[in-house]
Amino acid sequence: MATSATALISPRPYQQQSNDQFNALKYLSTGAAFHEATGHGISKETPDQCVIDQAHLLMRHGERYPTASSGKKMQELLEKLKSSTTETVYNPLGFVHDYEFFVSNSSDYGKETYYGPYSGLADAFFFGSELRQRYNHLVDADHTLPVFTAGEKRVYDTAKAFSQGFFGNGYSGDFQLISIPEKEEQGANSLHNKDGCPNFDNDDNVDSALEDENLQYAQYEADRLNKLGGSGYNITVDDIFIMGDYCAYENNVREMVW
């Protein structure tokens, strides 16, 4: 009886194929919806011989709307493209003529997204529920757990949603949100944004280094779109960066089809 070649090969304990194919979320700037980093085959589960006796979580906020200043730039870019785009077969941005800006209510600027597949508040809630299951043995239900949060509303709302997930669904215990104002005089702390570090925020060398790394690909993309769109286009390097943010935040607000 013939024996297949595969039958002579010992079972492989580690898969060789890559399941981490193209994922648009990895190319949508820092405003993109949460996505895990590429793994290295290390299990998330606690090894049988180990016991977790302490856990710390550090996060700022989840998926959100753009700020008002960023949103203004995005809307201005959309209007620019609408007024200059020609409808041709090969025009990759010809669809903008009938495209509506994704922020319909200006009061939503800066807030966590609260509906859709990439809802920041929903993600925070379910994350809290997931961690409660994982670390339930660490919770002292007889004492109120302090949850520290920055004063920014979207950060506070994220902390609240997370805590509701952590203590909801019949779990015992309670929490208290402790808000720390985000002011320069507060100094740097683990909850602050970059304003807590004036040297970084005002360091021209940092901006120059980032520009050197990014301008080459952005200029190539601007030239490509201008060529495809015809003479009506005037897309700049700055526009390319705004496009990346636009896609990220629109995806947070309403699901995009790629």
Side-chain angles (χ1 to χ4, degrees), residues 81-99 228-233:
L81 294 176
K82 282 188 175 185
S83 64
S84 62
T85 301
T86 56
E87 295 187 60
T88 64
V89 176
Y90 301 106
N91 187 348
L93 293 177
F95 66 90
V96 299
H97 285 287
D98 301 317
Y99 212 71
L228 289 174
S231 58
Y233 271 7

Side-chain angles (χ1 to χ4, degrees), residues 125-146:
F125 181 91
F126 287 118
F127 186 39
S129 179
E130 177 185 346
L131 290 195
R132 182 58 186 259
Q133 289 181 315
R134 183 183 292 267
Y135 301 120
N136 182 59
H137 66 287
L138 298 178
V139 177
D140 181 359
D142 295 328
H143 294 82
T144 299
L145 178 71

Side-chain angles (χ1 to χ4, degrees), residues 102-252:
F102 64 94
V103 182
S104 57
N105 191 337
S106 60
S107 64
D108 284 331
Y109 279 128
K111 291 182 179 179
E112 291 288 273
T113 49
Y114 42 86
Y115 62 87
Y118 299 108
S119 164
L121 293 181
D123 279 353
F125 181 91
F126 287 118
F127 186 39
S129 179
E130 177 185 346
L131 290 195
R132 182 58 186 259
Q133 289 181 315
R134 183 183 292 267
Y135 301 120
N136 182 59
H137 66 287
L138 298 178
V139 177
D140 181 359
D142 295 328
H143 294 82
T144 299
L145 178 71
V147 178
F148 295 91
T149 171
E152 184 75 46
K153 187 179 188 312
R154 58 178 170 268
V155 183
Y156 182 92
D157 290 344
T158 300
K160 183 178 180 180
F162 171 87
S163 300
Q164 290 171 334
F166 194 87
F167 289 100
N169 300 324
Y171 288 127
S172 59
D174 198 5
F175 68 94
Q176 179 182 3
L177 290 176
I178 301 175
S179 179
I180 299 177
E182 295 192 50
K183 299 180 179 179
E184 290 188 9
E185 55 267 27
Q186 290 287 119
N189 63 68
S190 60
L191 302 177
H192 241 204
N193 59 22
K194 64 181 182 180
D195 291 337
C197 183
N199 287 337
F200 173 83
D201 195 33
N202 299 318
D203 190 348
D204 293 335
N205 292 329
V206 174
D207 292 335
S208 297
L210 293 175
E211 288 179 358
D212 290 342
E213 291 295 324
N214 289 309
L215 284 179
Q216 185 174 0
Y217 94 83
Q219 186 62 62
Y220 171 84
E221 187 60 21
D223 293 341
R224 184 182 74 87
L225 291 175
N226 284 327
K227 182 178 180 180
L228 289 174
S231 58
Y233 271 7
N234 183 27
I235 295 176
T236 66
V237 167
D238 288 340
D239 292 337
I240 296 299
F241 293 133
I242 295 174
M243 286 181 186
D245 286 338
Y246 193 115
C247 291
Y249 286 111
E250 182 174 24
N251 195 55
N252 292 346

Side-chain angles (χ1 to χ4, degrees), residues 6-150:
T6 55
L8 300 177
I9 302 176
S10 299
R12 296 170 177 172
Y14 306 106
Q15 296 185 13
Q16 290 178 281
Q17 70 269 27
S18 173
N19 296 320
D20 185 23
Q21 300 299 325
F22 176 78
N23 184 344
L25 297 181
K26 294 186 176 182
Y27 303 92
L28 293 183
S29 78
T30 56
F34 172 78
H35 56 277
E36 291 188 350
T38 301
H40 298 281
I42 301 175
S43 174
K44 297 180 181 178
E45 302 303 318
T46 304
D48 293 335
Q49 67 272 23
C50 299
V51 176
I52 301 295
D53 57 16
Q54 192 175 88
H56 297 266
L57 171 65
L58 178 63
M59 64 182 294
R60 183 163 169 81
H61 57 71
E63 294 84 352
R64 64 174 176 86
Y65 284 85
T67 60
S69 58
S70 296
K72 180 181 178 181
K73 293 179 181 179
M74 296 174 196
Q75 192 165 18
E76 289 175 347
L77 174 60
L78 179 59
E79 295 305 318
K80 171 184 174 179
L81 294 176
K82 282 188 175 185
S83 64
S84 62
T85 301
T86 56
E87 295 187 60
T88 64
V89 176
Y90 301 106
N91 187 348
L93 293 177
F95 66 90
V96 299
H97 285 287
D98 301 317
Y99 212 71
E100 297 297 330
F101 188 53
F102 64 94
V103 182
S104 57
N105 191 337
S106 60
S107 64
D108 284 331
Y109 279 128
K111 291 182 179 179
E112 291 288 273
T113 49
Y114 42 86
Y115 62 87
Y118 299 108
S119 164
L121 293 181
D123 279 353
F125 181 91
F126 287 118
F127 186 39
S129 179
E130 177 185 346
L131 290 195
R132 182 58 186 259
Q133 289 181 315
R134 183 183 292 267
Y135 301 120
N136 182 59
H137 66 287
L138 298 178
V139 177
D140 181 359
D142 295 328
H143 294 82
T144 299
L145 178 71
V147 178
F148 295 91
T149 171

